[in-house]
Amino acid sequence: MNSNPFPAHDQQHESRTGPGPLVVKRPEDLLAFVPLAIGFTPERSVVMLTFDGRGSSFHARVDLPAEIDDVDDLVETLLAPARRHRVSSVIFVIYDDDTVVADESAWSLHESFGAAGIAVTDVLRAHEGMWFAVLPGRPREHYAGVSFDVSTHPFTARGVFEGRVTHRSREDLRASLAPRPDEVEETVAALCTAAPLPESEVRALVLGALHGDPLAAPDLARLALALASPSARDEAWSWLTRSQARAAADLWSDVVRRVPTTHVAAPAAVLAMAAWLAGEGALAWCAVDRCREVEPQHSLATLVAGLLESAASPEVWHELRPDPAA
C-alpha cells in the first residue's frame, strides 16, 4: 500500500507525443480526454486536470472517500501537488452518483482551491453516461444531466490510432500486470538451470529487447536472477531516456507477467520507474503496488512512490538520472 490517505492516487504527466494537442472546447471533449490522460475510465473518483504550471501539466485522480469526514483529506491530497507546482488553474471531474460525498467534495475543492489562489475553471460530475454541471452559470438542462458517449468521440479514435491503451477501470489496469500462468511456468522451468546474467550484460540484453529482440525464457530467467542484485538492477533502468520510456514500460510489463511471484519485485520496480518516465502515473502506481506485495520496503519502488506522491514531472529526469561517468 502507498502512504497516501486514499488507496488509489494516480498522477499522469503530459509526455506523450502526437500530431498536435487535443483541444477541449466542451464538456464532452473533457470527458473523452480524461480516460486518455489517466489510462482508464474512472469510477467513484475525483480527477484533477491542471493548467499553466511552471513545469509540465499533470493530471491526478483520487478515490472518493467513503465518509464525508474524509473529504478534507481528499482536498489536501490534490491541493498539495497543485501548490508545489504553482498551478494557476484546474478543472475537476467528479465520477459518482449525486451523493452527499460527491457534492461535498465538489464544493470543498472549489472553495479550498480558490482560497489558495488557484482558479477552478469548471467542476463537472459524471455518472453512467451522463454529465452534470456543478458550478452556477450554465443552462438549466445541464444541471438535469446531459448524455455523452466517449466511444464515438474523435479523441477516442485518435487514441486508438496512436496506440494508447485505455482500460475500462483501474482494476483492469492492475489486472493487465497479472501473471500469465503458462508463461510463468516456462520461466520457472528455465530458472531451475539458469545462472544470473552478469551485471555487465544486463544493459545489452534490455536494449536488445527494446529494439525488438524477444526475451526467450532462458534469457528472462537469467535476467530475473540478476535483478536480485541492486547494482545489476540499476543497469536495467538508469540509462533510460524519455524517448525510450514507453517501449521500456511495455517490455517490463511483459516481464512482470512472465516471472513468478518470487522474482517479480525487481522487474515491477523497474516497470514503475519506466512508467513514471513515460508519464504513465497510474501504471507506475500499479507497478509499485505489485512490487510492494512481495517486498514492501523495496528501495526503487520507494523512490518511484516518492516521485509520484510529489507529482514530479519526468522533465526533471535529467537532474535525477545517475551520472553514467560516475
Side-chain angles (χ1 to χ4, degrees), residues 80-93:
R83 279 173 164 158
R84 186 179 304 114
H85 292 279
R86 302 170 75 176
V87 166
S88 63
S89 62
V90 297
I91 291 176
F92 294 108
V93 184

Side-chain angles (χ1 to χ4, degrees), residues 153-212:
H153 194 280
F155 288 5
T156 305
R158 175 167 155 179
V160 172
F161 178 77
E162 294 176 359
R164 302 187 190 187
V165 178
T166 301
H167 296 272
R168 290 181 299 176
S169 67
R170 192 176 193 274
E171 286 308 308
D172 280 1
L173 175 59
R174 181 191 295 271
S176 72
L177 301 181
R180 293 174 176 166
D182 291 346
E183 294 178 73
V184 170
E185 186 176 342
E186 188 177 8
T187 304
V188 168
L191 283 166
C192 293
T193 57
L197 189 71
E199 182 178 319
S200 60
E201 298 179 21
V202 169
R203 184 182 306 196
L205 180 65
V206 174
L207 272 170
L210 287 181
H211 293 136

Side-chain angles (χ1 to χ4, degrees), residues 84-266:
R84 186 179 304 114
H85 292 279
R86 302 170 75 176
V87 166
S88 63
S89 62
V90 297
I91 291 176
F92 294 108
V93 184
I94 316 276
Y95 287 84
D96 197 21
D97 202 353
D98 187 16
T99 63
V100 173
V101 168
D103 185 64
E104 180 67 19
S105 297
W107 288 105
S108 293
L109 288 163
H110 182 265
E111 179 180 343
S112 297
F113 273 70
I118 301 172
V120 179
T121 304
D122 206 351
V123 180
L124 301 177
R125 184 175 61 82
H127 185 64
E128 295 184 348
M130 303 282 288
W131 67 263
F132 304 82
V134 174
L135 302 183
R138 287 189 177 273
R140 180 177 299 178
E141 59 268 22
H142 289 183
Y143 300 93
V146 180
S147 62
F148 70 95
D149 180 6
V150 301
S151 66
T152 60
H153 194 280
F155 288 5
T156 305
R158 175 167 155 179
V160 172
F161 178 77
E162 294 176 359
R164 302 187 190 187
V165 178
T166 301
H167 296 272
R168 290 181 299 176
S169 67
R170 192 176 193 274
E171 286 308 308
D172 280 1
L173 175 59
R174 181 191 295 271
S176 72
L177 301 181
R180 293 174 176 166
D182 291 346
E183 294 178 73
V184 170
E185 186 176 342
E186 188 177 8
T187 304
V188 168
L191 283 166
C192 293
T193 57
L197 189 71
E199 182 178 319
S200 60
E201 298 179 21
V202 169
R203 184 182 306 196
L205 180 65
V206 174
L207 272 170
L210 287 181
H211 293 136
D213 296 339
L215 276 178
D219 289 333
L220 177 57
R222 298 187 71 202
L223 177 62
L225 290 171
L227 295 182
S229 162
S231 58
R233 184 193 67 215
D234 290 347
E235 284 295 310
W237 66 269
S238 59
W239 44 268
L240 278 173
T241 63
R242 292 183 67 194
S243 63
Q244 296 168 314
R246 181 64 265 171
D250 290 341
L251 167 64
W252 290 103
S253 293
D254 182 64
V255 171
V256 165
R257 290 188 289 262
R258 294 173 61 194
V259 297
T261 299
T262 50
H263 293 74
V264 80

